[in-house]
Amino acid sequence: MLLKIILAAYSRGITGSRKIENLCKFNTIFMSLSGFLTPDHSTLAAFVSKQHKQIEDLFIQIVIECDYLGLIGGNCFSIDGTKLSSNASKDNSGTISDFEKRYKKIKNGVNFLLRQHREEDKAGGVKPDRREREKKKIKKLRKLAKDLEAPLSEMTDKIGRTGKPKKTNLTDPDSSTLMSGGGGAAQGYMAVAVVDDKHQVISGAGIAHETEHKCFIPMLEQVEENLGISLEGRKVLADAGFNTIENVDYCFEYEIDAYLADGGMRTRNPLYKDRDRKKPESRRRKFFKVSEFSYDEESNSCQCPVGNSMRLAMDDYILNGEHYRKFVGLLNDCRSCSFQKQCMKSAPRLQGRQVSIKKDAKSNPPRPFDLMKEKIDSPEGRDIYGGRMGAVEPVFGNIKHNIGLKWLSLRGLETVTGQWLLFSMAHNMVKIQKYGEYEPQ
């Protein structure tokens, strides 16, 4: 009964347990679903937050049912992620150093007000209204300081890819600070879905704990387990967010017909050669690219776009498994160059412009990462990859706009995953309702 009520509510974008409780009291549809019982909001909330393993099993059953009804083609899958706000404020995010500074600032504020009160008591010029306001402020600041003491004693910094500490949220430590397209930031989760292209059924779903590219392989394994198939020879489409050496190597190792875009795919496509013409001047490419430097393999020499010779700094160094030569511009040439602003971000101080030239094919045999670029740059590859957006993006549009999922109301990775799976189930059940046909018994 609870599952019927919650799925009906989630299919309408209603996630609040108190709102669902009221629906069971006054809405005839929900009164019928509940058998004229009125489950308490705490019961509804506990069901969603504590039954995440059972919810995962139910999601798999729905996927299997979609496959049984022929709603899943199984030939082409698209994977993507969408950002969802969490039930936590990004103002409560920071590193241990940030929270120590905040704690010290709060304590200093309390000490300042107390010192001011003592001076006013000695002088005898106390204003009752202001004193009352400041007492409330001191009480509030002390509570904030107390709330920080426990996390500071237990907290450990998360380390990012660069080796620097990452921000942790005190309210929901599993959530992350996600950058939005407009340049802002929000506290939330990256919800990931693998969508079949036949009827846009979600065949696999989950929450990316840190970055979405790390969940690429687990999501493919989940699809294979859910459908009882192997992805060998089947198409998998993903954008540049999932393109890593590890993911590409996995696809080649297991012979998955994957098409993973990379950050430079558009720049290599002749259809986008004039892509910068409508961009504002501040966003256009400003600096010379490596391809604009002249390299002579026979003499092992390099010239900058202006024509100045560059010195060989390193004859062989390895970057991401590939061999390069490094050339550096002469310091005096770069300092006096009239094209300095088109070549370097700032004026040279210790050395000139650096350029890394990839060595010959013998030193750099083709890797799966390079073969993926060739594959997606081919006319057939571009045509196949062009179907990705029409397969997976409408699914997120349906869940976020039509169903009405605006944010994840629960906290913690496991419970949030259960909530995302409930919305994925609601999406798939609509597909069953629209396109599923049961044979008469």
Side-chain angles (χ1 to χ4, degrees), residues 377-428:
D377 284 343
S378 66
E380 183 186 3
R382 287 180 184 144
D383 183 56
I384 293 171
Y385 181 76
R388 183 199 69 85
M389 189 173 290
V392 68
E393 297 295 351
V395 172
F396 295 139
N398 176 53
I399 292 176
K400 296 174 81 171
H401 180 75
N402 295 338
I403 294 179
L405 173 61
K406 303 299 181 187
W407 64 304
L408 296 165
S409 58
L410 300 178
R411 294 170 182 160
L413 183 63
E414 289 184 343
T415 53
V416 163
T417 301
Q419 194 169 27
W420 172 240
L421 290 177
L422 282 170
F423 277 99
S424 300
M425 275 196 282
H427 170 85
N428 286 349

Side-chain angles (χ1 to χ4, degrees), residues 16-30:
S17 56
R18 292 180 188 275
K19 288 183 179 180
I20 298 174
E21 181 186 356
N22 284 332
L23 287 173
C24 293
K25 290 179 180 178
F26 305 112
N27 187 292
T28 53
I29 295 173
F30 284 82

